[in-house]
Amino acid sequence: MGAVDDFSRALGRVNVRRRRRAAAGTVAVGLGLTMLLGTAASPALADDVANVIPVGERPTSIAVNPVTDKAYVVSGDGVSIVGGTASEGMLYYTGDRPADVAVNPVTNKVFVSEVGGSVAVVDGATRTSTSVPVGASPGTIAVNPVTNKIYVGVNNGVTMIDGATLKTTPLPLAGAQEIFVNATTGKVYVLAGGIIKVVGAGGTVTSTINIGAGGILDLAINEQTNKIYFTTLGKYGASVRVIDGITDTVTASVPTTNNVGKLAVNPVTNTIYVAADSTSIDGFVTVIDASTLSQVAELRTPTRIRDIVVNSASNKAYALLSGRGVTVVEGDNTATAVFSGQEPFDAAVNPTTGRVYVSNTNSSSVSVIDGTVAAPVRNDFNGDSFPDVLARDASGVLWLYPGNGSGGWLQRIQVGQGWNVMNAMVAPGDFNGDSFADLLARDSAGILWLYRGNGKGGWFPRVQVGQGWEGMSAIEPINFFGDGFGDVVARDRIGTLWLYRGDGKGGWLPRMWVGSGWSAMSEITGVGDFNGDGVTDLAARDSAGALWLYPPTGSSGWLPRQQIGNGWNSMDSLVGPGDFDGDGREDILARNSAGELWLYSGQGGYAWPTAKRVGAGWGVMTAIL
């Protein structure tokens, strides 16, 4: 048992799970008038997508071997391998579409359930396979790496496979929807029809938990405390309930305001992350302290949550969003988002490398999220990982206001002069692919110039990147496809909105039509990923002063717009600086006619931002970005 024990300790007893089946104070700031200097805070380490790897058609379940850092994903063709951040082709082809995949990291064996009635046992090193008949319509699989037992849900119950001999033992249970293994106690928890059946190490049912037909939605195990948590259907009282792993009886309950579904637990911090539904299209990640059984946070997401997984080594939870994107919760109070692809279905975590593998059903891909790599900050001009603000005064001097990461500024710095010749300026992020924030500016002749940032608050020599732009009445930054490239949307004289796609090298791909009738909007602003789905958004103000959020689909066009404010006609300048106050959500800065600057702090999802005054005297600025 020595090798197994070492393996368990290395993973911090991370739960061996079955694959999911997706049923600061105000800062006064002025322009040399009321400047308050701040102390830079340490930026939170965000996550970035290291690669997006095409796999077979409509991938679903995914499993990872943390020892070899290979992920295995089910698709219509069989099971593909992703090694680290690269494709390693197919592990296993099958005539029957696979239903689920699991891996034993100790033996490096991969188990694939096939709808025809068997489980393929594949050697992860040699890729040789053995077919094991298990019963009709096998589905969900779970592995106990300590005992080398594999549990497969079939029509008439659960089939247990001995990983050493491949001998099968039927367990007479109702059809298993989900199977959960506690590798420490050897117990198996089978969720079927809203009932939890507890199977002891000997293979017999030792306990049954039933609160009502279909009343139990999901389950998670903390092996370190031997506590099991499950969520309940709203009509039985939406809650997270606690099972004592010794007696296998329900001992406590945490009522929730919203309906709840999927959940996960961090065994190291003893924190529970729960998917909660709102009454609108938004969702929430509810964070519960399992020690006190109290809710400590509720973080809004732009859509409802399909699933949640946890990396206990980094203390991060990853919530897969319905539609696209992944919300990353760090600890219990910071939520950021990455664009993984369309319809993320399942995810697997390697706590050793910090990588998270996400299968995207509608993108036919696997996204590799690297939790050790900081996502780029779009408006970080001085390289300190905090968003900054650029402002041009009436004499044409360009000033850099470095953000302090908590909603204020450090001492401003002059970064240019003679900028009055420019009648439009845009901060697109890293436009040329050198990892530094850049600036686009249009002169009176309609020529578009790229001012390449040097990462230290200055500029490399400018480069012409376009002409004929004098016909555009609005030019705004956006990352339309979630690919990290700086794009631009521009409105022409007749109200047509065009997307100019950056190629990531300082040039353009062919432009795309993305809308008509935009002349009705008095202001268009790129506001970053305001709703938290991993793709940057546009905000537009109509003639009545209503502020609307336009989220891109991540492929083409827009999702339905959502109103996020009214009364915005009093504002004569809007800018999206990114997460300016350091709470993990994108913000908006707005200047009113009195020259006051207001910070509208994003709340995630489509919630209206909250406002606080952060400066005065900004009326002397002719451009803020």
Side-chain angles (χ1 to χ4, degrees):
M1 292 291 288
V4 174
D5 291 341
D6 289 343
F7 166 78
S8 299
R9 283 193 293 269
L11 292 190
R13 280 298 188 194
V14 175
N15 289 340
V16 179
R17 300 178 48 190
R18 82 289 176 268
R19 299 280 53 81
R20 296 285 191 174
R21 200 122 358 256
T26 301
V27 179
V29 180
L31 309 174
L33 303 175
T34 56
M35 174 65 72
L36 181 70
L37 303 184
T39 301
S42 297
L45 184 63
D47 293 59
D48 200 12
V49 175
N51 201 6
V52 178
I53 300 168
V55 293
E57 179 184 4
R58 299 187 67 79
T60 52
S61 299
I62 193 166
V64 66
N65 185 335
V67 176
T68 63
D69 196 27
K70 295 186 188 299
Y72 303 94
V73 58
V74 166
S75 72
D77 302 321
V79 177
S80 301
I81 308 175
V82 177
T85 60
S87 172
E88 293 190 6
M90 295 293 293
L91 171 78
Y92 179 72
Y93 290 94
T94 177
D96 293 328
R97 180 181 176 99
D100 200 6
V101 62
V103 61
N104 186 335
V106 176
T107 64
N108 195 22
K109 296 293 178 63
V110 183
F111 304 91
V112 184
S113 59
E114 301 178 281
V115 295
S118 63
V119 167
V121 182
V122 189
D123 188 291
T126 65
R127 304 193 186 185
T128 57
S129 63
T130 302
S131 183
V132 179
V134 293
S137 303
T140 185
I141 305 181
V143 174
N144 186 333
V146 175
T147 63
N148 196 16
K149 296 291 193 297
I150 301 91
Y151 302 87
V152 187
V154 294
N155 268 358
N156 60 344
V158 174
T159 297
M160 182 175 67
I161 304 174
D162 185 306
T165 65
L166 300 187
K167 178 184 176 181
T168 61
T169 302
L171 306 180
L173 302 169
Q177 298 167 316
E178 307 277 9
I179 302 175
F180 307 79
V181 170
N182 186 332
T184 300
T185 65
K187 291 183 179 180
V188 180
Y189 297 81
V190 180
L191 176 59
I195 300 171
I196 298 173
K197 293 283 188 179
V198 184
V199 180
T204 60
V205 175
T206 59
S207 181
T208 299
I209 298 167
N210 183 7
I211 66 167
I216 300 174
L217 301 175
D218 197 20
L219 184 149
I221 301 172
N222 186 337
E223 293 188 8
Q224 293 191 7
T225 62
N226 197 16
K227 301 292 184 183
I228 300 90
Y229 305 94
F230 66 90
T231 50
T232 59
L233 193 66
K235 71 177 183 179
Y236 297 110
S239 64
V240 176
R241 302 193 188 185
V242 185
I243 301 172
D244 183 277
I246 298 176
T247 63
D248 289 321
T249 58
V250 177
T251 58
S253 178
V254 184
T256 58
T257 304
N258 298 299
N259 288 330
V260 290
K262 298 294 183 180
L263 81 165
V265 61
N266 185 335
V268 175
T269 63
N270 205 18
T271 305
I272 308 167
Y273 299 89
V274 187
D277 292 344
S278 71
T279 56
S280 65
I281 65 174
D282 292 358
F284 298 95
V285 176
T286 299
V287 185
I288 296 173
D289 183 334
S291 300
T292 62
L293 295 182
S294 60
Q295 179 176 311
V296 296
E298 190 168 67
L299 306 172
R300 188 184 298 269
T301 59
T303 63
R304 296 183 178 183
I305 298 168
R306 183 185 293 273
D307 200 0
I308 299 180
V309 296
V310 165
N311 184 344
S312 60
S314 64
N315 193 23
K316 293 180 181 179
Y318 298 81
L320 279 59
L321 305 178
S322 298
R324 82 283 180 88
V326 176
T327 292
V328 184
V329 180
E330 188 166 2
D332 61 11
N333 60 2
T334 301
T336 56
V338 292
F339 177 68
S340 63
Q342 301 293 342
E343 291 296 344
F345 185 93
D346 195 15
V349 177
N350 186 342
T352 304
T353 63
R355 296 190 182 109
V356 181
Y357 298 88
V358 182
S359 63
N360 305 301
T361 297
N362 283 3
S363 298
S364 294
S365 65
V366 169
S367 296
V368 185
I369 302 173
D370 194 329
T372 67
V373 176
V377 179
R378 192 187 72 194
N379 276 32
D380 175 23
F381 292 100
N382 63 355
D384 62 359
S385 298
F386 298 130
D388 307 317
V389 171
L390 290 171
R392 180 186 63 191
D393 65 23
S395 65
V397 174
L398 191 65
W399 297 94
L400 172 66
Y401 289 82
N404 66 4
S406 57
W409 285 271
L410 305 177
Q411 180 67 50
R412 72 174 185 173
I413 304 166
Q414 182 177 336
V415 293
Q417 58 185 0
W419 283 75
N420 275 342
V421 299
M422 301 297 176
N423 54 33
M425 294 190 294
V426 179
D430 176 18
F431 190 74
N432 66 339
D434 62 0
S435 301
F436 300 139
D438 304 317
L439 181 63
L440 291 169
R442 179 186 64 188
D443 65 22
S444 57
I447 296 174
L448 195 66
W449 298 93
L450 171 63
Y451 289 81
R452 297 171 298 154
N454 63 10
K456 302 175 183 178
W459 315 101
F460 292 116
R462 71 178 187 177
V463 179
Q464 182 177 335
V465 292
Q467 58 185 358
W469 284 72
E470 66 274 8
M472 299 299 177
S473 60
I475 306 172
E476 290 296 330
I478 196 169
N479 177 209
F480 195 83
F481 293 96
D483 54 12
F485 295 163
D487 307 323
V488 167
V489 290
R491 179 182 61 189
D492 64 21
R493 291 191 181 95
I494 63 173
T496 301
L497 198 66
W498 298 95
L499 172 67
Y500 289 83
R501 300 171 57 194
D503 64 4
K505 302 175 183 177
W508 307 99
L509 300 173
R511 74 174 185 176
M512 295 172 51
W513 175 92
V514 289
S516 299
W518 284 75
S519 292
M521 298 299 176
S522 59
E523 177 90 18
I524 301 174
T525 303
V527 290
D529 180 19
F530 189 82
N531 67 348
D533 63 359
V535 180
T536 61
D537 309 312
L538 278 187
R541 180 185 62 196
D542 63 24
S543 58
L547 193 65
W548 299 89
L549 190 71
Y550 289 81
T553 62
S555 56
S556 62
W558 308 92
L559 298 175
R561 71 177 188 175
Q562 297 286 327
Q563 187 175 350
I564 57 171
N566 55 31
W568 285 72
N569 275 341
S570 62
M571 300 297 176
D572 60 19
S573 180
L574 306 179
V575 60
D579 175 21
F580 197 71
D581 57 6
D583 64 356
R585 296 176 287 269
E586 303 288 295
D587 306 315
I588 298 174
L589 285 171
R591 181 186 63 187
N592 64 19
S593 57
E596 296 172 327
L597 197 65
W598 290 81
L599 174 65
Y600 288 83
S601 180
Q603 303 301 301
Y606 295 98
W608 291 24
T610 58
K612 65 177 180 181
R613 182 175 174 270
V614 293
W618 286 74
V620 300
M621 293 299 177
T622 59
I624 305 173
L625 64 153

